[in-house]
Every structure is written in C-alpha cells, then in structure tokens.
Amino acid sequence: MLATNKDLQLAARKGKYAVGAFNTSNVEITQAIIEAHEEMNAPVIIATSTSAIEYCGIDILAGIVRQLAMKAKIPVSLHLDHGTDYELIVNCVRNGWTSIMIDGSHAPLEENIAITREIVKICHAVGISVEAELGRLGGIEDNISVDERDARLTDPNEAERFVTETQCDTLAIAIGTSHGAYKFKGESKLAFDRLEQIREIVDIPLVLHGASSVIPEIIEKANKFGAQLGAAKGVPAEDIKKAISLGITKVNIDTDLRLAFTAGVREILVEKPEVFDPRKIVGAGRKAIKQVVKNKIELLGSANKA
Ligand code: PGH
Ligand code: CA
Ligand code: ZN
C-alpha cells in the first residue's frame, strides 16, 4: 500500500527505529527493495532522483513503483530525492509521488525558505509530505558536486526558524556525511553533538543523507572480480545506529545498492563466462541488492514495523 514519508517517520520516531530510503531507477532494483521489505514486514521509502527519473521515464518509473507498492502488504512511499526543479516536482505530484524532497540547500537561507514554502503549499494541498534540506553535504549529489569547502553542518538555530517558516514535514540535516563511495579519507567523523542540538529544538522528523556504509566485503568482492574501488569508505553501521538513537528516522541509501549490484554482476560475468542472458546477469545484481537491503532493515530496526 502507498504511504507518505511523514506518516512513516512519525511512526518510526514513536517506535525508535528508522525507515530506509533506497534509491531506484529501474524494475529490478525496485523489486529487490520491495521484496526484501515484504519478507521482513518492514515499511519502506522508495527514492527516485532527478537523474533516475530521466533515465527511466517519469510515467514508467511511477508505474513500476506504484504497481509493486499497491500489491505489497507493507507501506511504501514513492519519494522524490533532492528535487530542485519546479516543473519536475509538479510532474511528480501529477504522476502519483507520495512524498517530495525540495532541496534548496545550495541557496542562501532566505531563498531556501522561499523555495521550500512554495513547494510545501503545493504538496500539502494534495496530501503529499515534504522533506527539505538545510546545511550542505559534501560529495556528489546526483549531478551536483559539492566541494569539501562548501560543505556546511546544519545550524540548529537556523533549523528552528527554517522549520517554523516553511512548515516542511521532515528535515534533512548535514552532520558530516557526504554522498557517494568516498566519504572519508581517514576515520569516519559525524557531528553527533550537532544532531543532539538540532533534535532538542526541532520537533519534526530528521533525515540522514549519505548514509551508505560502503560495506568492505562488498568492495572486496567487486575488486576481486575486476572493479577498482580502492579508497572507498562509508559510514560504519555503529554510527548509523547511534544516529538513529539520537533521533534520525529516515536513512538514505543509494551507494550500497549500486556497489552490491556491481559486485553481483561482476561475479556472474567472471564465474560464468558462458552466460549471456540479460535476466541472469541483471538478476544476479537484483539478488545481491536484496540481501544488502535485508541487512539494512536489520540495522535500522524497521523489521516487523509495517
Ligand atoms: C542519499 C544516498 N541519497 O539521497 O543520500 O547517499 O551515497 O551514501 O548512498 P549514499
Ligand atoms: Ca543538498
Ligand atoms: Zn541525499
């Protein structure tokens, strides 16, 4: 069944767990995510970036996610990840998205507030929940690359004002994570004190972007079969757990699924050179994603919360 992020995250806050937001761009990834959640009776957010929508086609991607969601016994939200384009957002609203992220984090505060308010007005009129972002993550976000120098932690006082003035339903904050497979040069360092300060003065559910762990065994497997992902590094599982204990109720994961897919596909191509059926090749990637998603459900504590 379909649900909104707001409802899923309010339930998660009560139950002290987090809902995973997993990115998709095609049928196999969506199947892997939804099947894993069905088998573990967990609620889920299916996230679609602008480039994923461009890749698949907005109506096709909506069709895939909504058909699978309506057949599923668990609540599924269809969420726009890092929306920046007004026309695309309105198109998602028309095509049945249940949740929208408006990412005005690259703009100055006043402008971010103004852009977010406008999207909230449109979305709330039709029962769609809105995630906004304040502060800047490092790394590459869809097509936008944020230099380390421009990355900026969320200011708690700004966050309080931002939430009051925009009436957004949930808030993505920057506490030191970044998008992609190369998050940290040395040890991972998250600003948990900042998260606590924000949690104290902001009373809407909070979101952690850039939350892939870049699982070492998967990197090893991919490299064993020919990948070159030497210095890849993510957020350790313990840090994700700690962030959830401090109030994060949505954890965004894209990179870990991409890596799992790559390792799975590389393995079958190397181990079974006689295979040339796309279903077997892409199917191996789908299977690898499903296993990673199941492990994430365990980590986030969302099993049996559907
Ligand atoms: C994310 C995903 N999507 O919005 O924040 O982050 O690159 O860590 O998977 P990762
Ligand atoms: Ca952003
Ligand atoms: Zn993100």
Side-chain angles (χ1 to χ4, degrees):
M1 72 203 85
L2 285 156
T4 66
N5 282 15
K6 182 185 178 183
D7 289 345
L8 296 184
Q9 288 184 251
L10 286 174
R13 186 159 72 178
K14 257 195 191 151
K16 298 190 191 314
Y17 60 93
V19 180
F22 298 94
N23 285 75
T24 191
S25 55
N26 67 14
V27 65
E28 284 86 359
I29 299 172
T30 313
Q31 287 170 324
I33 300 165
I34 293 185
E35 279 173 23
H37 282 81
E38 277 234 88
E39 286 171 26
M40 294 183 72
N41 193 31
V44 64
I45 294 164
I46 303 285
T48 60
S49 67
T50 300
S51 61
I53 291 169
E54 278 165 5
Y55 171 82
C56 189
I58 191 163
D59 49 342
I60 306 298
L61 194 53
I64 292 169
V65 179
R66 288 178 60 90
Q67 287 297 324
L68 289 168
M70 286 186 290
K71 269 209 326 217
K73 286 177 201 72
I74 48 159
V76 179
S77 174
L78 172 53
H79 174 72
L80 173 66
D81 196 23
H82 295 287
T84 50
D85 183 70
Y86 184 82
E87 271 181 39
L88 178 75
I89 289 171
V90 173
N91 255 317
C92 286
V93 171
R94 289 185 67 174
N95 278 279
W97 264 249
T98 59
S99 174
I100 295 289
M101 174 184 187
I102 168 67
D103 184 352
S105 64
H106 301 277
L109 180 64
E110 302 298 331
E111 208 178 315
N112 190 357
I113 290 175
I115 301 165
T116 303
R117 275 174 77 124
E118 189 166 359
I119 300 305
V120 166
K121 196 173 166 197
I122 294 166
C123 290
H124 282 184
V126 287
I128 292 174
S129 71
V130 178
E131 172 182 331
E133 180 170 317
L134 190 62
R136 276 182 211 159
L137 277 72
I140 295 166
E141 177 174 294
D142 215 0
N143 297 319
I144 308 156
S145 164
V146 180
D147 202 282
E148 287 306 318
R149 282 171 299 135
D150 293 330
R152 192 168 72 78
L153 300 186
T154 306
D155 178 306
N157 294 315
E158 270 184 22
E160 185 184 30
R161 179 180 160 213
F162 184 87
V163 168
T164 310
E165 293 190 15
T166 64
Q167 292 293 301
C168 62
D169 299 290
T170 61
L171 184 68
I173 57 169
I175 55 167
T177 61
S178 60
H179 290 105
Y182 304 90
K183 301 186 193 299
F184 304 101
K185 295 232 167 64
E187 285 300 291
S188 83
K189 260 215 298 279
L190 297 195
F192 290 114
D193 52 339
R194 190 62 72 105
L195 169 54
E196 280 183 291
Q197 290 158 10
I198 298 167
R199 176 70 286 164
E200 268 167 34
I201 45 179
V202 170
D203 68 353
I204 61 170
L206 301 178
V207 178
L208 185 64
H209 281 252
S212 278
S213 291
V214 188
I215 303 151
E217 301 85 78
I218 290 178
I219 296 293
E220 261 167 48
K221 183 173 155 187
N223 286 344
K224 180 178 159 197
F225 295 112
Q228 293 182 353
L229 303 164
K233 196 162 219 165
V235 183
E238 314 84 73
D239 283 4
I240 298 296
K241 272 204 162 143
K242 185 160 183 200
I244 295 169
S245 77
L246 295 174
I248 292 291
T249 51
K250 173 172 175 271
V251 171
N252 283 23
I253 296 159
D254 184 3
T255 297
D256 280 345
L257 305 194
R258 296 177 180 211
L259 291 169
F261 186 90
T262 300
V265 168
R266 280 186 178 278
E267 180 182 31
I268 189 168
L269 288 174
V270 171
E271 300 264 280
K272 297 195 173 147
E274 73 283 6
V275 164
F276 61 91
D277 181 341
R279 290 169 297 186
K280 294 214 168 98
I281 298 165
V282 181
R286 176 171 68 184
K287 193 172 158 206
I289 289 181
K290 189 171 169 184
Q291 189 53 52
V292 166
V293 173
K294 284 188 157 186
N295 296 343
K296 295 290 180 188
I297 296 169
E298 208 67 70
L299 173 70
L300 305 183
S302 61
N304 292 317
K305 306 288 187 187

